[in-house]
Amino acid sequence: MSKKFLEEYLYAPHGFRDYEPATYRLIKKIISTMEEIPLKYGYELYDGPIVERRILYEVKSGGEIVGEVFEVKGKSKEKLVLRPEMTPTLGRLIARMDQELVKPVRWATISRYFRDETPQRGRVKEFWQLNVDIIGLDSAYADAEVITILHDILIELGLKKTEFQIYVNDRRILEAVLKKLGITNIDEVYPILDKKDKLLQEELKKQLGKAGLKEKEIELLSLKFRKFDKYKEDILSQYKGNKEILKISKDLNQIRKNAFVRFLVEKGINESNAEKLFDISEIHGPLKEALFELEKYVSEFGVEHSVFEHIKELEEYLESFGVIDTIILDASIVRGFAYYTGIIFEAFDSESLIPRALAGGGRYDNLVSVLGGPQIPATGFGMGETVILEILKEKNRLQGVSIGIPEIGIRPLNRNTMKKAHEIAQILRKSGKHVLFMPPKGKLGKTIEHFAKRGVRYLVIVGEKDLEKQAVTIKDLETGEQEQIAIKELERYLNEIIKN
Ligand code: HAM
């Protein structure tokens, strides 16, 4: 075997990850926190198979996801895939179990999903995703509840309220706008709205290429241009002397508009309508104020006020639940899946340059009926672990995650004290401690080194002399201090020092 092959062979396939303990510990912490919050809201846990029928996504998800599934070769004739998302499986379960379920159903699940996407920061081919959904509650309260759960998860994971934003919109408003403008090819228009920032970034990359920058710099700068409000000063001071970049900064709004309008015109939308859609897509801001602006703009060409009812009700709930300060209306949000029918939302970190959402979801009132069940309202969201992991690492917020780090080590001094030492270990484990045991092999110093490297703070040394006095020696591996403690006092003593 060639050296190159061996080197590659030592790593997971491209876009997949090995989860060595130092990383897995952080992922585990994130996914247990993500699961904890919906449980507090009274959700039940469920799951489905990792392998699903391809047709479920062909008919139900729409968008790019069908082209991103990993196919599974089995003996059956059915076309099977590794599931790229949970919602169609959930819809199938509800359609089948409808009669026996206590409604509204509040279900949550956390598991691994697979998408054959181009890997980049925050995007991988295999990821964990939490899904939180309410089925059978036809009220904006349901949307408000799942959005509040998402808010609580982000806070619990260590983000401050000012560090993330949940962007909301309502597809019913967009649909009414398109109808009034006489636009019928919604399936072609939605992806352009969904990719608005990405289209701008692609356009900028082309223009930055002409400014003589290297590929990596172009990528970073185009990401900063996507968040121009935040990075304006940064860009202007770094590229003071670069005329091309200063011109791009000056013309940014026009470049944004041109990129968007051009794509719509290519799809047969007339220029005046494309410009209106651009103006609408630019409306964003605190929910109440931006909604007012949007309603005023679209009512001018005859969109009924009634399409705003649902999102206004949502606004009232979010206000009274104390989360409104993190909510932004962004009239360009549509989301990529075909099944969404109403309120849609996406959470983003406000500082990071990762272009990927922390979470996304929305209302999908027709999915269950399309799958053969009754017409039943549904709403929910999915949140991956990959983007939040990157962000928490970037912000240095994952210190002190102790999963898999034992606080206590036990070492009998020789084989005669093995039994007693093991007994002590079991007592401490039963009382909830994490205890690492090393047999009396080799030098004590070497064992101490091993314990220290594994993060153990307190070492219980079990020797014959101590045992004669019904005692053991405890060594603090951080300070080097040690003292003799009666075995019957050990648990209380350790509780005390570990607490401090
Ligand atoms: P989604 O927007 O495709 O929605 O995914 C939700 C979240 O999963 C994303 O915001 C991101 O955190 C994570 N995610 C998705 N793809 C990747 C990837 N390739 N690498 C890392 N993380 C990823 C859905 O999946 C909907 N089914 C959510 C939903 C539930 N809607 C209603 N209920």
Side-chain angles (χ1 to χ4, degrees):
M1 260 177 263
S2 73
K3 190 163 169 255
K4 184 168 178 296
F5 178 78
L6 274 177
E7 272 169 9
E8 280 174 7
Y9 197 63
L10 295 177
Y11 292 91
H14 184 54
F16 291 84
R17 296 167 291 175
D18 285 321
Y19 310 99
E20 76 290 352
T23 305
Y24 193 72
R25 174 179 303 142
L26 306 181
I27 290 179
K28 185 82 185 159
K29 165 82 187 157
I30 289 172
I31 60 182
S32 10
T33 307
M34 293 202 309
E35 193 177 77
E36 223 167 76
I37 307 291
L39 284 175
K40 284 194 177 152
Y41 277 72
Y43 283 61
E44 294 177 271
L45 298 178
Y46 75 106
D47 208 341
I50 297 242
V51 172
E52 266 290 7
R53 294 188 184 88
R54 186 188 167 99
I55 192 156
L56 207 52
Y57 311 100
E58 283 169 353
V59 188
K60 290 25 176 187
S61 301
E64 288 172 355
I65 203 118
V66 187
E68 290 170 349
V69 288
F70 283 98
E71 299 197 348
V72 174
K73 266 201 164 168
K75 285 182 185 151
S76 94
K77 284 205 179 97
E78 274 186 307
K79 283 195 174 159
L80 301 174
V81 297
L82 294 178
R83 63 179 175 191
E85 57 149 341
M86 192 63 190
T87 315
T89 303
L90 173 63
R92 169 169 71 67
L93 263 165
I94 301 289
R96 194 189 71 226
M97 297 179 67
D98 174 57
Q99 294 296 317
E100 52 196 282
L101 293 171
V102 179
K103 294 219 212 44
V105 164
R106 285 177 162 100
W107 283 5
T109 181
I110 193 154
S111 194
R112 290 201 215 180
Y113 298 84
F114 303 83
R115 295 185 192 176
D116 201 357
E117 295 189 66
T118 313
Q120 55 172 221
R121 203 161 159 233
R123 188 203 279 167
V124 284
K125 296 193 183 203
E126 178 189 24
F127 53 96
W128 272 267
Q129 193 194 62
L130 166 77
N131 278 261
V132 176
D133 292 88
I134 304 186
I135 292 114
L137 186 55
D138 190 15
S139 157
Y141 170 80
D143 304 283
E145 180 173 299
V146 291
I147 290 175
T148 307
I149 291 177
L150 172 57
H151 165 278
D152 289 4
I153 291 172
L154 294 172
I155 296 285
E156 190 64 29
L157 282 169
L159 292 186
K160 300 187 187 109
K161 269 182 181 265
T162 49
E163 290 175 329
F164 67 90
Q165 263 131 16
I166 303 174
Y167 296 90
V168 302
N169 196 15
D170 193 331
R171 275 199 178 186
R172 283 166 288 206
I173 302 173
L174 286 171
E175 264 159 38
V177 167
L178 295 175
K179 207 167 162 194
K180 282 285 168 205
L181 296 178
I183 296 169
T184 48
N185 54 340
I186 296 185
D187 294 352
E188 290 186 297
V189 173
Y190 275 178
I192 296 176
L193 273 166
D194 190 41
K195 294 214 159 23
K196 191 179 163 210
D197 275 355
K198 205 163 172 234
L199 294 176
L200 169 73
Q201 193 187 349
E202 292 310 316
E203 179 59 33
L204 287 169
K205 276 190 192 171
K206 271 194 223 151
Q207 302 207 9
L208 291 168
K210 289 182 207 149
L213 303 184
K214 296 231 169 68
E215 209 177 307
K216 269 207 166 136
E217 205 176 355
I218 291 178
E219 181 67 30
L220 184 67
L221 194 52
S222 65
L223 286 169
K224 287 186 175 172
F225 268 119
R226 274 176 77 155
K227 287 198 168 178
F228 193 61
D229 288 350
K230 196 137 214 111
Y231 288 94
K232 189 174 171 185
E233 300 300 319
D234 195 33
I235 295 173
L236 294 183
S237 69
Q238 194 182 346
Y239 295 98
K240 255 196 299 243
N242 191 322
K243 277 195 194 133
E244 304 268 359
I245 291 175
L246 293 183
K247 186 162 170 7
I248 293 175
S249 309
K250 214 166 109 256
D251 298 343
L252 190 63
N253 282 344
Q254 198 56 44
I255 299 172
R256 262 173 95 76
K257 184 168 178 173
N258 291 350
F260 185 73
V261 168
R262 196 180 66 235
F263 276 98
L264 286 177
V265 170
E266 273 169 23
K267 297 290 178 204
I269 313 291
N270 72 45
E271 202 155 324
S272 143
N273 278 345
E275 284 183 5
K276 280 198 187 81
L277 284 180
F278 175 75
D279 290 344
I280 292 169
S281 74
E282 288 286 288
I283 296 177
H284 69 279
L287 187 51
K288 206 170 189 162
E289 291 83 342
L291 261 183
F292 183 77
E293 193 187 332
L294 180 63
E295 193 171 358
K296 192 159 159 267
Y297 188 97
V298 301
S299 62
E300 274 167 26
F301 48 91
V303 172
E304 310 269 333
H305 292 284
S306 59
V307 295
F308 283 84
E309 266 167 27
H310 199 91
I311 198 162
K312 283 185 183 168
E313 197 184 333
L314 176 77
E315 193 272 333
E316 279 171 32
Y317 289 126
L318 294 173
E319 163 93 56
S320 52
F321 302 164
V323 299
I324 198 75
D325 43 354
T326 59
I327 311 290
I328 297 285
L329 173 91
D330 183 331
S332 71
I333 300 267
V334 279
R335 308 256 312 129
F337 295 111
Y339 49 67
Y340 290 120
T341 54
I343 295 288
I344 36 192
F345 54 95
E346 278 178 351
F348 280 90
D349 169 276
S350 28
E351 281 158 19
S352 164
L353 285 172
I354 300 174
R356 195 81 193 185
L358 284 160
R363 181 160 279 278
Y364 52 101
D365 288 347
N366 299 331
L367 183 62
V368 178
S369 66
V370 171
L371 287 161
Q375 183 72 30
I376 182 168
T379 185
F381 71 88
M383 173 173 181
E385 105 301 339
T386 326
V387 180
I388 188 78
L389 175 66
E390 286 292 317
I391 286 165
L392 293 176
K393 279 202 268 184
E394 199 173 285
K395 294 185 192 298
N396 228 352
R397 302 268 164 84
L398 282 165
Q399 303 306 316
V401 176
S402 60
I403 301 166
I405 302 181
E407 56 268 61
I408 297 166
I410 296 206
R411 167 67 147 81
L413 276 185
N414 58 44
R415 283 176 70 169
N416 297 337
T417 61
M418 267 293 258
K419 186 166 184 278
K420 192 69 195 168
H422 196 258
E423 257 173 49
I424 293 172
Q426 292 300 68
I427 289 168
L428 293 175
R429 285 174 185 141
K430 273 204 182 113
S431 77
K433 305 271 180 310
H434 304 94
V435 182
L436 193 62
F437 192 96
M438 284 297 272
K441 216 166 169 254
K443 291 209 172 88
L444 179 62
K446 277 270 168 235
T447 320
I448 291 179
E449 246 173 56
H450 173 76
F451 279 133
K453 280 186 188 158
R454 283 292 320 276
V456 168
R457 170 87 191 258
Y458 301 105
L459 171 60
V460 180
I461 302 167
V462 187
E464 280 170 302
K465 278 206 183 114
D466 282 345
L467 281 187
E468 277 167 20
K469 294 183 200 152
Q470 295 297 311
V472 288
T473 293
I474 301 221
K475 187 175 175 72
D476 182 334
L477 298 188
E478 216 169 281
T479 62
E481 286 165 14
Q482 61 180 60
E483 68 183 298
Q484 198 183 51
I485 300 289
I487 293 175
K488 62 177 187 337
E489 288 297 315
L490 186 63
E491 213 179 309
R492 190 196 52 75
Y493 177 83
L494 284 169
N495 278 339
E496 200 56 34
I497 50 174
I498 288 171
K499 204 165 71 200
N500 294 329

